[in-house]
Amino acid sequence: MTERDPKQITRKSEDFDRWYTDVVRRAELADYTPVAGCMVVRPYGWALWENTRDALDAMIKRTGHENMQFPLLIPESLLVKEAQHVEGFAPEVAWVTRGGSKELEEPLAIRPTSETIICTLYAKWIQSWRDLPVLINQWANVVRWEKRTRLFLRTTEFWWQEGHTFHETTEEAAREVQTMLDCYNELAVDWLCLATVPGRKTDSEKFAGADYTLSIEAVMSDGLALQAGTSHHLAQNFTRAYDIKYTDRNNELEYPYQTSWGLSTRMIGAVIMAHGDDQGLVLPPKVAPVQVVVVPISRSNDPDGTRQVEEAVEKIEREAAGLVRLRVDRREGIRPGEKYAHWELRGVPLRVVVGTKDLAEGMVTVVRRVDGEQMRLPLDTVGLQLPRLLDEAHHVLRARAEKMLADFSREVSTLDELKQAFAGGPVWANAPFCARRECEDAVKAAVHAVSVRNLRSDRSAGGAPCLVCGQPADDIALIARAY
Ligand SMILES: [Zn+2]
């Protein structure tokens, strides 16, 4: 057996979980810390999150919301007012019980989510129908106690945004829930090149305290699903519990309808698992911290050639400035092959290689990360062509994700067919489904570790028999294993 190169990452086909952790750590996205369950996000990973966050933040503002900031700590008495909510979150809440050397009279929860504190404050601020709608969002870190840690996917502390809105009517709240799910889907598809299925969670999978929850489920390259964003219709469940009353248009006291919606750093995990390969990350061009890396190649015993190469590199830098996020790898004493591997591991969408041989013909070589496609392009125009080349890389990645979704998808109409579909490994099974709890339990019992991910909003069963009970079904259930 040969010694394992410490720089080498585990092959994806060999061990997907180890491959994932290797990629996250070696590409310097994130790492474990001395704090059990908590990760550190390193600059490259944070830059990736910032680009993702900024794209979503623009959508949040475009749809009329404003950002604000609530406290990290929530008094116990506020947290426990909505019974279902507290029951759902109780096992995951971390508590502060001491301040300095003094025991606190009332323990303070570290926010697992902020509905409770937000409702408490808005009970003071919402007085009249003129105060509605309230459309706010918070970018924050939250804590949910986890026994097992997976970088970006499952950590005790994570980063996210949580949107919270209050409305006069249930219909307006329902539109809000849909609008924000559409934004999440736009981010997932148009920015992160993921293939997704939008739909509604079953009652057993919805948010604790919600009337209903919408989700997008994104396909990972091992065939598992990752819940990539959720949007909840909270009806009046919280506003009643927290006594948020306002005077409506008929001068009567009424409780507003509420929504909340969140998307977290899990999305970075989705990008890694959907697109990455044995060489490492493959980043979607729109959010890649470095979109183009330029690698100059010259020999130390060829000063003329070295000067030519440097001039060409500077020309590309100049022309691409402000168009793309470009970095030149001028590190000395490192072989070109090592540099290529370094940036491949980090998923940089395009590599421009500038060497004397190509330059003699006025050309440079461009290599596309997603499929290794090589192109020789004229030095004269390459700088200006980079945005178009990134756009092409974006579409190749998107198409590959859609193909992956199509390849994993199966149509099944009975439990037996469901079992058969999963016999060869994880798939995304679509089946007519009546949405009753008993039938959902039967689905879970039929195949190890599967669940109904959502009831697809893009399809309808049109009365076809439920795969379990045979009763006419309205919905198509997406059944898969999930992270
Ligand atoms: Zn059924």
Side-chain angles (χ1 to χ4, degrees):
M1 218 176 108
T2 51
E3 194 70 19
R4 197 162 162 270
D5 181 349
K7 278 188 193 158
Q8 204 77 43
I9 54 176
T10 307
R11 289 178 72 84
K12 201 172 160 182
S13 54
E14 207 173 282
D15 185 339
F16 193 88
D17 290 354
R18 259 181 76 179
W19 166 83
Y20 174 81
T21 304
D22 281 356
V23 168
V24 171
R25 299 179 75 187
R26 304 246 159 83
E28 299 181 351
L29 294 176
D31 211 338
Y32 297 108
T33 66
V35 194
C38 292
M39 66 172 172
V40 52
V41 183
R42 301 183 66 181
Y44 194 62
W46 196 254
L48 179 58
W49 171 240
E50 280 180 331
N51 291 340
T52 305
R53 187 191 69 186
D54 290 352
L56 181 60
D57 194 59
M59 293 177 210
I60 288 170
K61 288 172 180 157
R62 185 187 78 199
T63 46
H65 305 85
E66 293 176 302
N67 286 334
M68 64 186 289
Q69 203 63 38
F70 291 89
L72 171 73
L73 302 173
I74 301 174
E76 185 177 31
S77 56
L78 299 192
L79 197 72
V80 300
K81 280 188 186 171
E82 211 290 331
Q84 278 188 326
H85 182 71
V86 72
E87 196 192 327
F89 277 103
E92 303 179 348
V93 175
W95 293 97
V96 176
T97 58
R98 222 168 64 193
S101 57
K102 234 179 105 202
E103 291 294 323
L104 299 182
E105 279 176 26
E106 180 179 8
L108 300 169
I110 302 176
R111 62 181 165 212
T113 177
S114 302
E115 277 79 1
T116 58
I117 184 85
I118 288 171
C119 284
T120 304
L121 290 164
Y122 272 94
K124 291 195 297 186
W125 297 335
I126 299 174
Q127 299 294 331
S128 147
W129 63 272
R130 291 182 188 82
D131 297 326
L132 298 173
V134 169
L135 306 171
I136 56 147
N137 176 66
Q138 157 170 269
W139 289 98
N141 53 347
V142 290
V143 165
R144 296 180 187 175
W145 216 255
E146 292 282 357
K147 291 187 190 77
R148 290 180 52 219
T149 307
R150 286 203 77 189
L151 297 167
F152 288 114
L153 298 176
R154 198 165 285 282
T155 49
T156 290
E157 181 187 26
F158 60 90
W159 292 266
W160 77 342
Q161 59 68 219
E162 45 179 316
H164 299 270
T165 69
F166 298 89
H167 306 265
E168 281 184 83
T169 65
T170 185
E171 294 81 11
E172 189 183 302
R175 281 197 297 279
E176 167 76 12
V177 170
Q178 185 62 53
T179 296
M180 296 326 292
L181 194 81
D182 291 346
C183 286
Y184 290 160
N185 206 44
E186 183 181 337
L187 180 77
V189 171
D190 295 345
W191 288 77
L192 305 178
C193 299
L194 300 170
T196 60
V197 171
R200 185 176 171 138
K201 288 284 181 189
T202 61
D203 279 349
S204 69
E205 300 270 339
K206 71 183 182 186
F207 178 73
D211 246 29
Y212 67 83
T213 290
L214 303 182
S215 79
I216 53 169
E217 306 287 324
V219 66
M220 303 294 103
S221 53
D222 59 351
L224 270 64
L226 190 127
Q227 179 179 295
T230 48
S231 185
H232 318 290
H233 195 311
L234 304 178
Q236 295 170 317
N237 300 342
F238 285 83
T239 58
R240 283 179 190 277
Y242 288 81
D243 203 29
I244 305 181
K245 279 201 286 271
Y246 71 99
T247 313
D248 73 5
R249 288 166 200 261
N250 303 319
N251 218 19
E252 287 177 23
L253 280 181
E254 189 51 272
Y255 297 102
Y257 294 85
Q258 189 185 359
T259 82
S260 69
W261 27 274
L263 183 140
S264 75
T265 36
R266 274 199 120 194
M267 211 57 166
I268 302 301
V271 165
I272 299 161
M273 292 196 295
H275 302 313
D277 61 20
D278 283 344
Q279 277 68 52
L281 293 171
V282 176
L283 293 184
K286 287 188 187 176
V287 294
V290 179
Q291 295 172 306
V292 180
V293 62
V294 179
V295 181
I297 298 183
S298 56
R299 292 206 184 87
S300 53
N301 60 5
D302 176 14
D304 281 354
T306 303
R307 190 171 35 79
Q308 265 178 18
V309 166
E310 184 49 33
E311 278 169 11
V313 167
E314 282 170 13
K315 177 180 156 59
I316 296 170
E317 258 184 316
R318 233 177 7 251
E319 287 176 358
L323 297 179
V324 301
R325 294 186 286 272
L326 177 141
R327 189 173 300 177
V328 180
D329 188 347
R330 291 190 172 90
R331 291 178 299 162
E332 288 174 28
I334 296 173
R335 286 178 291 109
E338 268 181 77
K339 290 186 178 181
Y340 300 167
H342 178 92
W343 297 107
E344 276 171 3
L345 171 60
R346 284 159 183 75
V348 175
L350 293 176
R351 175 172 82 227
V352 180
V353 180
V354 183
T356 46
K357 232 171 109 185
D358 277 346
L359 281 183
E361 296 167 35
M363 307 294 268
V364 297
T365 298
V366 179
V367 184
R368 193 159 67 193
R369 175 65 180 90
V370 57
D371 56 359
E373 174 86 1
Q374 292 206 15
M375 297 156 269
R376 283 185 91 219
L377 294 167
L379 170 67
D380 274 351
T381 60
V382 70
L384 296 172
Q385 288 196 64
L386 290 171
R388 177 183 63 78
L389 295 170
L390 284 171
D391 200 42
E392 283 173 13
H394 171 90
H395 285 104
V396 171
L397 192 57
R398 256 296 290 153
R400 199 175 72 170
E402 283 301 330
K403 184 178 181 304
M404 192 163 75
L405 174 57
D407 289 347
F408 280 122
S409 291
R410 303 283 185 279
E411 298 297 315
V412 303
S413 53
T414 64
L415 275 185
D416 274 344
E417 285 179 23
L418 182 73
K419 287 179 202 164
Q420 278 167 25
F422 276 91
V427 293
W428 282 37
N430 297 292
F433 182 60
C434 71
R436 285 190 306 137
R437 187 61 179 263
E438 306 91 272
C439 289
E440 188 174 356
D441 290 343
V443 165
K444 284 187 189 168
V447 182
H448 174 66
V450 302
S451 53
V452 174
R453 301 313 306 153
N454 62 25
L455 308 174
R456 298 182 65 138
S457 57
D458 57 343
R459 291 180 61 181
S460 153
C466 168
L467 86 158
V468 182
C469 67
Q471 297 293 310
D474 294 329
D475 294 305
I476 296 286
L478 169 64
I479 302 165
R481 293 199 179 113
Y483 279 97

